[in-house]
Amino acid sequence: MSLRRGPLSVGERVQLTDRRGRKLTVMLEPGGLTQTDHGLLPHEAMIGLPEGSVVVTISADKWRQMRHKQDASTDTEAPDRAKPWKSSRGIGGWAFTVMRPRLEDYILSMPRGAQIMYPKDVARVILLGDIRPGMRVLESGAGSGAMSLGLLDAIGTEGKLTSIERREEFARVAMGNATVFFGQRPAQWDLCTGDFDAIAADLPEDGFDRIVLDMLDPWNRLEQAYRVMAPGGVLTAYVTTTTQLSRLAEALRADGRWTEPEIMESLERSWKADGLAVRPEHEMIGHTGFLLISRAMAPGQQALRKHVRATKDYQTDVDQSRRPDTISKFSQEREMQDVEDLKDLELRRVSDRKLRKVLRDLDHQVRTLQGGQGQEG
């Protein structure tokens, strides 16, 4: 993957930004024409320019005149085909700055089949997952390729990325986006299609330094993930719902071969600074997903767990004793016992010592209040 420098050339994607901050991403083509809300941009006017140049739109009439002169100079008739503009957008003179897109810009504008992982989450995965040049990374769920692009950029040409995508059409979208962004098909990327467990079963044991899971049921993939992960390797999972998050966290703890999971989410809000008017933007990128990070223990070693106080019960299902099938099977005595169990469950939420302290404080406050009212009377 070569870093693109110098003048803009045919086949490159460029980002056009106007004075209002609106962005438009296009690929430069011979004879290409980009239609905007403020006129037309011929690609010939951008090809050969350095990054950071300003280009100005032209009207439809100006474009027709240019095409007519070109056709006359070659003694050929202009082809009779539908024009790529609308009469209502025939104005010109609108300026755009032309740049090569950053990775974030490309991810947000690239063609997609599946929902992409947002750049804010991609960046956190790379940082929290400690993904660096030369590493061997296994990815499950390539989707449209947003995470794959970040991983390929992070590991460099010395690393190796193996991605497993269930759907072949999504794999094609991901590979197409990567090829366009890097200018060629990444040689360090092995993109496989099929079931994760079936493909991972043929991967070498301890063959990966890092694993990234972006799928519906990552808790069902922990067995193969541990087998192919080198001891101390970092597992990073991206899930979108709290139920997925809970199941994965509990599965990791129950497995015993993974360290206590770290869980977080990131929120993104832009700010506006115009002189003394400094304020946050009205819109922000809120919750998109949760990130869970855990590390693989050495074979035969049990992960350390934080001691949970006996007075706190987070595991018992409050509704477990009230299921219709349970009530129909047991007697009235059993139902009464269930009620007592629920009472015990509620009491275990707060320790007796803490409860006594709360009552003492409240009694003191009530006596103080009553004493003050008596003096007023």
Side-chain angles (χ1 to χ4, degrees), residues 18 43 126 140 157 191 219 222:
D18 68 5
H43 290 192
I126 293 172
S140 177
T157 55
L191 179 55
W219 52 87
L222 298 181

Side-chain angles (χ1 to χ4, degrees), residues 291-357:
L291 295 178
L292 184 149
I293 299 93
S294 183
R295 303 192 68 173
M297 299 291 293
Q301 298 296 310
Q302 191 75 9
L304 302 179
R305 296 288 178 237
K306 182 173 65 175
H307 178 68
V308 179
R309 292 171 56 187
T311 56
K312 295 182 181 284
D313 184 353
Y314 304 118
Q315 306 299 325
T316 303
D317 188 348
V318 175
D319 295 327
Q320 182 177 5
S321 302
R322 308 305 300 166
R323 295 198 308 264
D325 59 331
T326 305
I327 296 176
S328 62
K329 290 180 181 179
F330 295 95
S331 61
Q332 184 69 25
E333 291 79 6
R334 179 58 184 170
E335 291 185 33
M336 293 176 63
Q337 182 61 46
D338 290 341
V339 173
E340 294 299 322
D341 291 342
L342 289 177
K343 290 181 179 178
D344 292 341
L345 178 60
E346 293 173 358
L347 290 176
R348 286 197 296 269
R349 298 293 185 185
V350 181
S351 68
D352 293 339
R353 180 179 178 182
K354 182 177 181 179
L355 187 57
R356 287 194 298 269
K357 182 180 183 304

Side-chain angles (χ1 to χ4, degrees), residues 222-239:
L222 298 181
E223 188 64 35
Q224 286 295 342
Y226 182 81
R227 188 187 69 83
V228 301
M229 177 85 86
V234 181
L235 170 73
T236 306
Y238 175 81
V239 294

Side-chain angles (χ1 to χ4, degrees), residues 24-173:
L24 181 65
T25 304
V26 299
M27 175 176 282
L28 298 179
E29 302 178 17
L33 184 70
T34 295
Q35 177 180 290
T36 75
D37 290 339
H38 299 275
L40 308 173
L41 272 176
H43 290 192
E44 284 88 348
M46 294 181 278
I47 296 172
L49 292 178
E51 285 190 80
S53 298
V54 175
V55 293
V56 180
T57 60
I58 61 175
S59 66
D61 290 337
K62 181 72 176 291
W63 169 251
R64 282 194 290 268
Q65 293 173 9
M66 292 171 58
R67 295 293 294 178
H68 179 72
K69 290 180 180 179
Q70 182 180 1
D71 295 334
S73 64
T74 57
D75 293 329
T76 59
E77 260 187 50
D80 185 17
R81 60 175 180 267
K83 303 298 187 295
W85 54 79
K86 297 180 179 178
S87 58
S88 60
R89 296 182 179 178
I91 61 176
W94 193 258
F96 287 88
T97 300
V98 57
M99 298 274 191
R100 291 185 175 95
R102 302 169 300 168
L103 177 57
E104 177 183 12
D105 302 322
Y106 182 80
I107 288 175
L108 292 175
S109 65
M110 69 185 188
R112 65 187 69 172
Q115 176 63 40
I116 64 167
M117 186 184 294
Y118 269 82
K120 69 182 182 69
D121 296 315
V122 173
R124 295 290 286 172
V125 168
I126 293 172
L127 178 63
L128 298 173
D130 191 38
I131 299 170
R132 293 176 277 121
M135 284 189 165
R136 304 161 299 172
V137 181
L138 174 63
E139 176 195 23
S140 177
S144 297
M147 187 70 247
S148 304
L149 288 175
L151 294 174
L152 288 167
D153 189 61
I155 64 176
T157 55
E158 315 87 33
K160 180 69 175 180
L161 174 64
T162 301
S163 300
I164 302 175
E165 170 56 50
R166 179 180 291 274
R167 298 183 59 174
E168 183 178 354
E169 57 270 30
F170 285 173
R172 290 174 57 192
V173 171

